[in-house]
């Protein structure tokens, strides 16, 4: 496994990030533990979760599964860089959130971190991430709450997720004014088929020293060889992939992508991860395996070096938006 620093910090993390969103809803606890053991044995030390994972009436279940895995001992917690998130309402989806029970007020951050620590069965979180922006809470209040948690030893670093570029800048300028480290990472939607983050988010992250952690690296399965799988198994696409394939132009683009990688003898999903690993500013993509086989495929991508020729060909199939402001101005 290859490692890198998380942004401008001294924290060393694996270049593949284990996403746990499927643990609970799609992968039972026993299999989830097998996957986490296999990841750690392979050198993957960076695990990502969120307090709302488990979803619906089972929010928090994923953190509980991870906590039970830590409780098995064997230096599991000591070897893991643990990231979780705060913002979402932890009550049922059909209930209006009670005031101060979601978002990034100081009172909700305090409540949420204690609940996550209990579910995770640990006394600290390495990377505590803001799952979304909160337009109602000033960053002075957010950073005051984070500073208290750092002083208490409950968290080590703070990161963002789904932030626009201007909010990354705003957050870190306020943090600098307070003499704090500020955000050290940004977790954003970024892959070959969705490259808008290249306009503002990734440049802001690079300028402020944040590590970029792409989520949905296969764009909901669209970049995982979906057309070939459909032809071989008859399985229909769902979600984001189904929406994209309903567009003839997008379908042709995916076909060109799969044909290109077939020509090079590469698996589409592994190549899509390797492409992200080759992009400036990227710490590592989040992979969310439902099975051990899917984890093994993702691990192979960490050792896959794409040629300059292939990278250029992929850019031709999936051209990026270009830099800001030239992408939308002169």
């Amino acid at each position: 496994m290859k490692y890198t620093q998380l942004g401008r910090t001294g924290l060393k993390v694996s270049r593949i990030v284990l996403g746990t969103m499927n643990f609970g809803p799609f992968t039972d606890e026993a299999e989830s533990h097998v996957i986490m053991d296999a990841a750690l044995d392979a050198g993957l030390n960076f695990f990502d979760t969120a307090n709302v994972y488990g979803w619906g009436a089972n929010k928090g279940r994923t953190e509980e599964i991870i906590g039970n895995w830590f409780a098995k001992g064997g230096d599991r917690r000591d070897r893991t860089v643990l990231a979780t998130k705060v913002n979402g309402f932890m009550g049922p989806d059909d209930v209006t959130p009670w005031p101060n029970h979601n978002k990034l007020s100081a009172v909700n951050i305090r409540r949420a971190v204690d609940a996550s620590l209990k579910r995770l069965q640990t006394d600290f979180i390495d990377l505590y991430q803001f799952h979304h922006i909160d337009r109602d809470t000033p960053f002075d209040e957010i950073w005051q709450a984070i500073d208290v948690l750092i002083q208490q030893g409950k968290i080590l670093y703070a990161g963002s997720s789904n932030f626009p570029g201007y909010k990354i800048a705003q957050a870190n300028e306020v943090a600098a004014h307070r003499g704090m480290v500020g955000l050290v990472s940004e977790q954003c939607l970024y892959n070959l088929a969705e490259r808008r983050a290249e306009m503002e988010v990734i440049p802001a992250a690079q300028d402020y020293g944040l590590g970029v952690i792409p989520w949905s690296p296969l764009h909901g399965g669209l970049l995982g060889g979906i057309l070939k799988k459909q032809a071989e198994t008859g399985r229909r696409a769902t979600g984001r992939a189904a929406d994209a394939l309903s567009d003839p132009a997008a379908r042709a683009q995916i076909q060109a992508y799969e044909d290109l990688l077939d020509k090079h003898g590469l698996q589409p999903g592994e190549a899509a991860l390797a492409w992200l690993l080759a992009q400036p500013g990227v710490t590592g993509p989040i992979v969310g395996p439902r099975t051990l086989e899917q984890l093994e495929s993702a691990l192979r991508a960490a050792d896959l070096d794409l040629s300059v020729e292939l990278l250029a060909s992929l850019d031709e199939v999936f051209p990026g938006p270009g830099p800001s402001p030239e992408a939308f101005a002169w």
Side-chain angles (χ1 to χ4, degrees):
M1 176 56 62
K2 297 176 182 177
Y3 300 90
T4 189
Q5 307 302 128
L6 179 62
R8 64 189 185 283
T9 76
L11 187 65
K12 188 169 288 188
V13 295
S14 53
R15 297 220 64 201
I16 297 293
V17 184
L18 181 66
T20 61
M21 189 170 64
N22 289 318
F23 294 175
F26 301 103
T27 306
D28 66 24
E29 180 162 341
E31 182 66 12
S32 298
H33 287 189
V34 169
I35 291 172
M36 287 187 282
D37 279 333
L40 211 56
D41 288 345
L44 195 161
N45 75 334
F46 197 5
F47 289 17
D48 176 76
T49 191
N51 59 350
V52 294
Y53 289 175
W55 308 112
N58 295 310
K59 291 175 183 175
R61 177 60 182 145
T62 303
E63 286 188 333
E64 290 176 349
I65 289 172
I66 297 170
N68 291 338
W69 180 72
F70 285 149
K72 289 182 174 182
D75 73 359
R76 287 175 171 84
R77 178 64 187 96
D78 185 58
R79 296 173 63 196
T80 301
V81 175
L82 175 64
T84 192
K85 308 183 193 75
V86 57
N87 186 295
F89 176 53
M90 294 298 290
D93 290 340
D94 58 353
V95 172
T96 301
W98 189 256
N100 306 312
H101 278 233
N102 66 340
K103 299 189 178 179
L104 301 178
S105 67
V107 66
N108 189 58
I109 288 175
R110 177 178 177 177
R111 177 186 297 113
V113 74
D114 285 343
S116 284
L117 289 170
K118 183 177 181 180
R119 287 188 293 266
L120 290 163
Q121 301 188 51
T122 185
D123 55 1
F124 76 99
I125 294 161
D126 296 276
L127 177 63
Y128 201 47
Q129 302 163 110
F130 311 132
H131 211 162
H132 202 274
I133 63 171
D134 179 357
R135 294 180 173 89
D136 299 323
T137 306
F139 276 112
D140 264 320
E141 176 179 344
I142 294 170
W143 286 126
Q144 183 270 338
I146 293 300
D147 191 33
V148 169
L149 297 184
I150 292 173
Q151 295 303 318
Q152 292 175 334
K154 293 181 179 180
I155 70 170
L156 300 182
Y157 304 96
S160 58
S161 182
N162 305 304
F163 271 35
Y166 83 96
K167 281 292 184 181
I168 291 173
Q170 187 181 62
N172 271 21
E173 289 299 328
V174 173
H177 181 72
R178 296 177 61 90
M180 296 179 64
V181 172
L183 301 173
V184 302
S185 62
E186 161 58 21
Q187 189 176 133
C188 59
L189 174 60
Y190 183 39
N191 55 57
L192 268 167
E194 175 49 85
R195 297 178 61 172
R196 285 178 292 179
E198 293 176 355
M199 291 173 60
E200 298 275 5
V201 174
I202 293 175
Q206 288 183 281
D207 280 356
Y208 281 95
L210 279 67
V212 175
I213 308 170
W215 62 266
S216 195
L218 303 186
H219 208 55
L222 191 68
L223 300 172
I226 192 167
L227 295 180
K228 183 177 181 180
K229 290 176 182 176
Q230 284 183 334
E232 292 176 348
T233 67
R235 188 176 65 185
R236 299 181 64 182
T238 59
R240 187 182 297 125
D243 293 341
L245 293 179
S246 65
D247 178 358
R251 190 180 186 89
Q253 187 179 41
I254 296 299
Q255 187 65 67
Y257 163 72
E258 292 189 14
D259 290 345
L260 172 65
L261 295 176
D262 187 58
K263 173 185 173 183
H264 286 265
L266 297 173
Q267 295 298 318
E270 295 172 17
L273 294 174
W275 178 86
L276 280 169
L277 289 168
Q279 301 312 301
V282 170
T283 296
I286 298 173
V287 299
R290 294 190 301 274
T291 65
L292 188 59
E293 181 182 19
Q294 290 176 344
L295 172 66
E296 292 168 348
S297 175
L299 291 171
R300 288 193 293 271
D303 295 320
L304 186 60
D305 291 320
L306 305 183
S307 67
V308 173
E309 174 194 8
L310 179 53
L311 288 170
S313 297
L314 288 169
D315 280 338
E316 291 177 3
V317 176
F318 295 105
S324 173
E326 290 84 356
F328 50 82
W330 58 273

